[in-house]
Amino acid sequence: MSYLSERAERTPPSGIRRFFEIAEEMDDVVSLGVGEPDFSAPWPARKAAIEALERGQTSYTSNRGRRDLREAISDHVTRYGHDYAADEEILVTTGVSEAMDLAMRALVDPGDVVAVAEPAYISYGPDASFSGGEVLPVPTRAEEEFRLTYDALERAGAERADVLVFCYPNNPTGAVMDATHLAEVAEFAREHDLFVLADEVYAALSYAGEHDSIATQPGMRERTLVFNGFSKAYAMTGLRLGYAMGPPEVIDGMNRIHQYTMLSAPTTAQAAAIEALESCDEEVADMREQYDRRRRFVLSRFREMGLDCFEAKGAFYVFPSVPGDDEEFAEELLREAEVAVVPGRVFGEGGEGHVRVSYARSLPELREAMNRIEDFLADY
């Protein structure tokens, strides 16, 4: 007899974790599968966390997050053209993952349709389902550099959706969208009255110019939630801190759920985040420069191998096409060459035939991995 709910029974295990479980049984694996920086958080942020602990700052903060952190966030995001009020329009959360879950529960009623641009981070669909929503995949195409377009939304029937979710710079593809591309998505959202959830956690890791946000498009601020955090740009994954910005009534609705589930984001992480925003721009710029060097190296090696790979310009992933079935390719690559990548299909329909490769690894590790992949392809 199972005591699990139907919801839990229906939820599939992460398609990423299976490959990591295989890799854990092997001795010499070079993992290019983890979406996590290989840097440590900048020292000033770590020092601020240490000092907060030494001062005994271990109590709850405001449900919405420390006010000085919300003010720092409000100041910080002006670089992306945003203007959000610290008191009413910003909520600090336990990572962007919690923020997305709260948004779905605050906005989605049973039977509502949630359009998800794919390939997509693996939690968006389950988050929508947990809220009773119907997930509508919106596949994007390699030949369009995995950008979300008006035509893609129309092809998928997204006019019947209530909510649209996407992530740019994109996990898993590394795709980016500039203001011109975002304008046509904004047009579709306005025409069909969609509320947009824009995951911008990789905003600082853009290599082809400044990041553009859909919330700055005409008529979009009032129908958009913007998500960002400290895991990627500041290498603070384990500190679990993110934030959402948007219309006051939506932020208030999210906070009411947050009060009963998480109470407040981690206190020590909030101390680190304030210092990160105020004094760590140089460290972020240095990490971005190193990622860019690795990005160019990995792209050049895949092209030398003859694998079709569009020029990813954001985050720390590339998304080459591979021969045959992407899941079989990834499993054989792991078992025979001891290189871990993630099959594209786990990120949705648009990912089939590709693999996600993270270059958040040192150049020596990347060289070794690329050599192994090249040798593997020679016999594949």
Side-chain angles (χ1 to χ4, degrees):
M1 176 179 179
S2 173
Y3 293 99
L4 288 177
S5 69
E6 184 181 345
R7 180 184 297 110
E9 292 277 13
R10 286 199 314 264
T11 302
S14 165
I16 297 176
R17 290 309 313 170
R18 186 171 75 85
F19 285 84
F20 293 156
E21 288 166 2
I22 296 172
E24 285 170 359
E25 300 171 0
M26 304 170 75
D27 295 327
D28 190 31
V29 171
V30 180
S31 178
L32 307 182
V34 181
E36 180 173 31
D38 62 321
F39 300 101
S40 296
W43 170 242
R46 285 182 279 152
K47 185 170 181 285
I50 294 167
E51 291 175 350
L53 287 171
E54 289 177 339
R55 290 194 296 270
Q57 294 180 355
T58 56
S59 301
Y60 295 128
T61 69
S62 161
N63 293 130
R64 289 178 180 260
R66 283 177 54 165
R67 190 175 193 282
D68 50 354
L69 173 55
R70 286 181 279 125
E71 289 174 338
I73 291 168
S74 179
D75 290 341
H76 174 78
V77 298
T78 58
R79 66 185 61 189
Y80 303 124
H82 294 310
D83 179 18
Y84 288 103
D87 287 336
E88 297 180 331
E89 297 179 313
I90 298 174
L91 174 65
V92 179
T93 59
T94 306
V96 175
S97 294
E98 192 216 355
M100 184 64 71
D101 178 56
L102 292 173
M104 293 285 191
R105 288 197 274 171
L107 292 166
V108 178
D109 285 317
D112 283 354
V113 176
V114 179
V116 179
E118 295 184 346
Y121 181 57
I122 59 174
S123 74
Y124 301 154
D127 282 345
S129 297
F130 294 156
S131 299
E134 175 192 339
V135 178
L136 175 68
V138 182
T140 60
R141 297 172 171 175
E143 56 266 31
E144 296 173 328
E145 297 189 337
F146 292 107
R147 291 190 296 265
L148 181 61
T149 65
Y150 191 106
D151 288 345
L153 289 160
E154 204 165 47
R155 284 194 302 269
E159 68 278 354
R160 69 185 184 90
D162 301 281
V163 174
L164 169 64
V165 187
F166 60 78
C167 171
Y168 289 97
N170 182 259
N171 176 7
T173 67
V176 298
M177 291 180 62
D178 63 23
T180 302
H181 304 134
L182 291 166
E184 59 181 274
V185 178
E187 180 184 358
F188 189 95
R190 292 191 301 266
E191 286 180 3
H192 300 288
D193 194 25
L194 273 64
F195 196 94
V196 173
L197 307 184
D199 185 346
E200 301 182 4
V201 72
Y202 293 96
L205 301 180
S206 298
Y207 311 111
E210 288 299 317
H211 169 73
D212 290 309
S213 173
I214 195 169
T216 63
Q217 292 284 321
M220 292 305 296
R221 189 182 190 280
E222 60 268 29
R223 62 170 67 248
T224 302
L225 274 172
V226 176
F227 304 92
N228 208 328
F230 299 86
S231 292
K232 310 303 182 180
Y234 297 98
M236 288 166 52
T237 53
L239 274 68
R240 308 309 307 130
L241 203 69
Y243 53 91
M245 305 180 294
E249 66 274 16
V250 179
I251 292 295
D252 183 64
M254 292 170 63
N255 187 45
R256 275 180 272 153
I257 300 168
H258 175 69
Q259 289 171 343
Y260 292 109
T261 56
M262 198 61 66
L263 298 179
S264 62
T267 300
T268 305
Q270 293 187 58
I274 293 167
E275 189 64 29
L277 291 174
E278 292 180 348
S279 65
C280 294
D281 279 357
E282 287 187 13
E283 288 88 343
V284 173
D286 179 63
M287 285 189 276
R288 182 169 55 244
E289 182 180 340
Q290 293 191 56
Y291 284 137
D292 192 23
R293 188 179 306 121
R294 300 170 185 182
R295 176 184 73 94
R296 289 182 275 112
F297 168 73
V298 170
L299 283 170
S300 68
R301 287 299 307 274
F302 277 133
R303 287 166 181 165
E304 289 170 5
M305 296 176 206
L307 293 183
D308 186 21
C309 188
F310 87 102
E311 187 177 357
K313 297 178 181 177
F316 38 61
Y317 310 104
V318 295
F319 207 60
S321 62
V322 295
D325 180 274
D326 54 276
E327 189 167 4
E328 290 179 6
F329 179 93
E331 187 158 344
E332 290 186 36
L333 179 67
L334 177 56
R335 294 191 184 279
E336 295 182 20
E338 296 189 296
V339 176
V341 299
V342 182
R345 69 178 56 201
V346 308
F347 303 103
E349 180 183 335
E352 291 182 8
H354 298 77
V355 293
R356 188 187 78 172
V357 175
S358 170
Y359 50 86
R361 288 292 175 266
S362 69
L363 275 172
E365 288 177 294
L366 292 172
R367 289 191 188 97
E368 176 63 23
M370 292 299 107
N371 289 339
R372 292 185 187 186
I373 294 172
E374 186 173 30
D375 291 342
F376 171 78
L377 283 170
D379 299 321
Y380 189 71

PDB file of all heavy atoms in Angstrom, residues 327-341:
ATOM      1  N   GLU A 327      20.233  10.541 -25.397  1.00  0.00           N
ATOM      2  CA  GLU A 327      20.361   9.844 -24.113  1.00  0.00           C
ATOM      3  C   GLU A 327      21.350   8.690 -24.219  1.00  0.00           C
ATOM      4  O   GLU A 327      22.195   8.493 -23.332  1.00  0.00           O
ATOM      5  CB  GLU A 327      19.001   9.348 -23.634  1.00  0.00           C
ATOM      6  CG  GLU A 327      19.037   8.815 -22.212  1.00  0.00           C
ATOM      7  CD  GLU A 327      17.645   8.623 -21.630  1.00  0.00           C
ATOM      8  OE1 GLU A 327      16.648   8.825 -22.349  1.00  0.00           O
ATOM      9  OE2 GLU A 327      17.570   8.263 -20.442  1.00  0.00           O
ATOM     10  N   GLU A 328      21.269   7.928 -25.314  1.00  0.00           N
ATOM     11  CA  GLU A 328      22.226   6.843 -25.519  1.00  0.00           C
ATOM     12  C   GLU A 328      23.641   7.386 -25.677  1.00  0.00           C
ATOM     13  O   GLU A 328      24.600   6.818 -25.145  1.00  0.00           O
ATOM     14  CB  GLU A 328      21.841   6.042 -26.769  1.00  0.00           C
ATOM     15  CG  GLU A 328      20.583   5.222 -26.609  1.00  0.00           C
ATOM     16  CD  GLU A 328      20.231   4.457 -27.881  1.00  0.00           C
ATOM     17  OE1 GLU A 328      21.048   4.481 -28.838  1.00  0.00           O
ATOM     18  OE2 GLU A 328      19.147   3.845 -27.917  1.00  0.00           O
ATOM     19  N   PHE A 329      23.759   8.498 -26.399  1.00  0.00           N
ATOM     20  CA  PHE A 329      25.074   9.124 -26.581  1.00  0.00           C
ATOM     21  C   PHE A 329      25.669   9.505 -25.230  1.00  0.00           C
ATOM     22  O   PHE A 329      26.842   9.201 -24.946  1.00  0.00           O
ATOM     23  CB  PHE A 329      24.942  10.353 -27.475  1.00  0.00           C
ATOM     24  CG  PHE A 329      26.240  11.086 -27.716  1.00  0.00           C
ATOM     25  CD1 PHE A 329      27.025  10.787 -28.820  1.00  0.00           C
ATOM     26  CD2 PHE A 329      26.690  12.070 -26.838  1.00  0.00           C
ATOM     27  CE1 PHE A 329      28.228  11.448 -29.050  1.00  0.00           C
ATOM     28  CE2 PHE A 329      27.890  12.742 -27.051  1.00  0.00           C
ATOM     29  CZ  PHE A 329      28.664  12.429 -28.156  1.00  0.00           C
ATOM     30  N   ALA A 330      24.883  10.169 -24.386  1.00  0.00           N
ATOM     31  CA  ALA A 330      25.393  10.630 -23.098  1.00  0.00           C
ATOM     32  C   ALA A 330      25.781   9.460 -22.198  1.00  0.00           C
ATOM     33  O   ALA A 330      26.810   9.506 -21.500  1.00  0.00           O
ATOM     34  CB  ALA A 330      24.343  11.500 -22.407  1.00  0.00           C
ATOM     35  N   GLU A 331      24.979   8.396 -22.238  1.00  0.00           N
ATOM     36  CA  GLU A 331      25.289   7.254 -21.384  1.00  0.00           C
ATOM     37  C   GLU A 331      26.551   6.530 -21.859  1.00  0.00           C
ATOM     38  O   GLU A 331      27.406   6.156 -21.033  1.00  0.00           O
ATOM     39  CB  GLU A 331      24.101   6.295 -21.349  1.00  0.00           C
ATOM     40  CG  GLU A 331      24.285   5.178 -20.340  1.00  0.00           C
ATOM     41  CD  GLU A 331      22.972   4.553 -19.892  1.00  0.00           C
ATOM     42  OE1 GLU A 331      21.901   5.157 -20.120  1.00  0.00           O
ATOM     43  OE2 GLU A 331      23.040   3.460 -19.317  1.00  0.00           O
ATOM     44  N   GLU A 332      26.702   6.356 -23.168  1.00  0.00           N
ATOM     45  CA  GLU A 332      27.903   5.695 -23.679  1.00  0.00           C
ATOM     46  C   GLU A 332      29.145   6.555 -23.466  1.00  0.00           C
ATOM     47  O   GLU A 332      30.226   6.045 -23.161  1.00  0.00           O
ATOM     48  CB  GLU A 332      27.723   5.364 -25.161  1.00  0.00           C
ATOM     49  CG  GLU A 332      26.716   4.252 -25.408  1.00  0.00           C
ATOM     50  CD  GLU A 332      26.667   3.838 -26.867  1.00  0.00           C
ATOM     51  OE1 GLU A 332      27.731   3.848 -27.520  1.00  0.00           O
ATOM     52  OE2 GLU A 332      25.565   3.506 -27.349  1.00  0.00           O
ATOM     53  N   LEU A 333      29.000   7.866 -23.631  1.00  0.00           N
ATOM     54  CA  LEU A 333      30.123   8.771 -23.378  1.00  0.00           C
ATOM     55  C   LEU A 333      30.580   8.658 -21.930  1.00  0.00           C
ATOM     56  O   LEU A 333      31.793   8.644 -21.642  1.00  0.00           O
ATOM     57  CB  LEU A 333      29.713  10.208 -23.700  1.00  0.00           C
ATOM     58  CG  LEU A 333      30.780  11.288 -23.462  1.00  0.00           C
ATOM     59  CD1 LEU A 333      31.956  11.132 -24.420  1.00  0.00           C
ATOM     60  CD2 LEU A 333      30.161  12.686 -23.605  1.00  0.00           C
ATOM     61  N   LEU A 334      29.639   8.552 -21.026  1.00  0.00           N
ATOM     62  CA  LEU A 334      29.985   8.433 -19.608  1.00  0.00           C
ATOM     63  C   LEU A 334      30.669   7.105 -19.321  1.00  0.00           C
ATOM     64  O   LEU A 334      31.717   7.057 -18.662  1.00  0.00           O
ATOM     65  CB  LEU A 334      28.727   8.594 -18.759  1.00  0.00           C
ATOM     66  CG  LEU A 334      28.889   8.431 -17.245  1.00  0.00           C
ATOM     67  CD1 LEU A 334      29.930   9.395 -16.692  1.00  0.00           C
ATOM     68  CD2 LEU A 334      27.545   8.626 -16.537  1.00  0.00           C
ATOM     69  N   ARG A 335      30.118   6.030 -19.834  1.00  0.00           N
ATOM     70  CA  ARG A 335      30.649   4.711 -19.497  1.00  0.00           C
ATOM     71  C   ARG A 335      31.982   4.431 -20.209  1.00  0.00           C
ATOM     72  O   ARG A 335      32.870   3.805 -19.634  1.00  0.00           O
ATOM     73  CB  ARG A 335      29.629   3.629 -19.851  1.00  0.00           C
ATOM     74  CG  ARG A 335      28.361   3.702 -18.998  1.00  0.00           C
ATOM     75  CD  ARG A 335      27.496   2.464 -19.184  1.00  0.00           C
ATOM     76  NE  ARG A 335      26.245   2.552 -18.464  1.00  0.00           N
ATOM     77  CZ  ARG A 335      26.091   2.302 -17.158  1.00  0.00           C
ATOM     78  NH1 ARG A 335      27.144   1.950 -16.439  1.00  0.00           N
ATOM     79  NH2 ARG A 335      24.904   2.400 -16.580  1.00  0.00           N
ATOM     80  N   GLU A 336      32.123   4.903 -21.439  1.00  0.00           N
ATOM     81  CA  GLU A 336      33.311   4.561 -22.221  1.00  0.00           C
ATOM     82  C   GLU A 336      34.417   5.610 -22.120  1.00  0.00           C
ATOM     83  O   GLU A 336      35.596   5.259 -22.110  1.00  0.00           O
ATOM     84  CB  GLU A 336      32.922   4.360 -23.691  1.00  0.00           C
ATOM     85  CG  GLU A 336      31.992   3.178 -23.911  1.00  0.00           C
ATOM     86  CD  GLU A 336      31.667   2.973 -25.382  1.00  0.00           C
ATOM     87  OE1 GLU A 336      32.432   3.471 -26.243  1.00  0.00           O
ATOM     88  OE2 GLU A 336      30.634   2.321 -25.677  1.00  0.00           O
ATOM     89  N   ALA A 337      34.049   6.881 -22.056  1.00  0.00           N
ATOM     90  CA  ALA A 337      35.067   7.939 -22.022  1.00  0.00           C
ATOM     91  C   ALA A 337      35.141   8.635 -20.666  1.00  0.00           C
ATOM     92  O   ALA A 337      36.032   9.455 -20.445  1.00  0.00           O
ATOM     93  CB  ALA A 337      34.775   8.973 -23.112  1.00  0.00           C
ATOM     94  N   GLU A 338      34.220   8.304 -19.785  1.00  0.00           N
ATOM     95  CA  GLU A 338      34.173   8.881 -18.440  1.00  0.00           C
ATOM     96  C   GLU A 338      34.088  10.412 -18.485  1.00  0.00           C
ATOM     97  O   GLU A 338      34.792  11.120 -17.769  1.00  0.00           O
ATOM     98  CB  GLU A 338      35.364   8.412 -17.606  1.00  0.00           C
ATOM     99  CG  GLU A 338      35.349   6.905 -17.378  1.00  0.00           C
ATOM    100  CD  GLU A 338      36.399   6.449 -16.379  1.00  0.00           C
ATOM    101  OE1 GLU A 338      37.591   6.616 -16.691  1.00  0.00           O
ATOM    102  OE2 GLU A 338      36.005   5.964 -15.306  1.00  0.00           O
ATOM    103  N   VAL A 339      33.192  10.889 -19.343  1.00  0.00           N
ATOM    104  CA  VAL A 339      32.841  12.306 -19.381  1.00  0.00           C
ATOM    105  C   VAL A 339      31.329  12.401 -19.187  1.00  0.00           C
ATOM    106  O   VAL A 339      30.564  11.750 -19.904  1.00  0.00           O
ATOM    107  CB  VAL A 339      33.225  12.965 -20.720  1.00  0.00           C
ATOM    108  CG1 VAL A 339      32.751  14.425 -20.761  1.00  0.00           C
ATOM    109  CG2 VAL A 339      34.732  12.903 -20.930  1.00  0.00           C
ATOM    110  N   ALA A 340      30.914  13.195 -18.217  1.00  0.00           N
ATOM    111  CA  ALA A 340      29.490  13.323 -17.919  1.00  0.00           C
ATOM    112  C   ALA A 340      28.928  14.588 -18.553  1.00  0.00           C
ATOM    113  O   ALA A 340      29.429  15.692 -18.322  1.00  0.00           O
ATOM    114  CB  ALA A 340      29.262  13.363 -16.408  1.00  0.00           C
ATOM    115  N   VAL A 341      27.908  14.418 -19.389  1.00  0.00           N
ATOM    116  CA  VAL A 341      27.118  15.513 -19.937  1.00  0.00           C
ATOM    117  C   VAL A 341      25.651  15.147 -19.708  1.00  0.00           C
ATOM    118  O   VAL A 341      25.344  14.047 -19.257  1.00  0.00           O
ATOM    119  CB  VAL A 341      27.402  15.744 -21.436  1.00  0.00           C
ATOM    120  CG1 VAL A 341      28.863  16.121 -21.659  1.00  0.00           C
ATOM    121  CG2 VAL A 341      27.038  14.506 -22.260  1.00  0.00           C
TER     122      VAL A 341
END
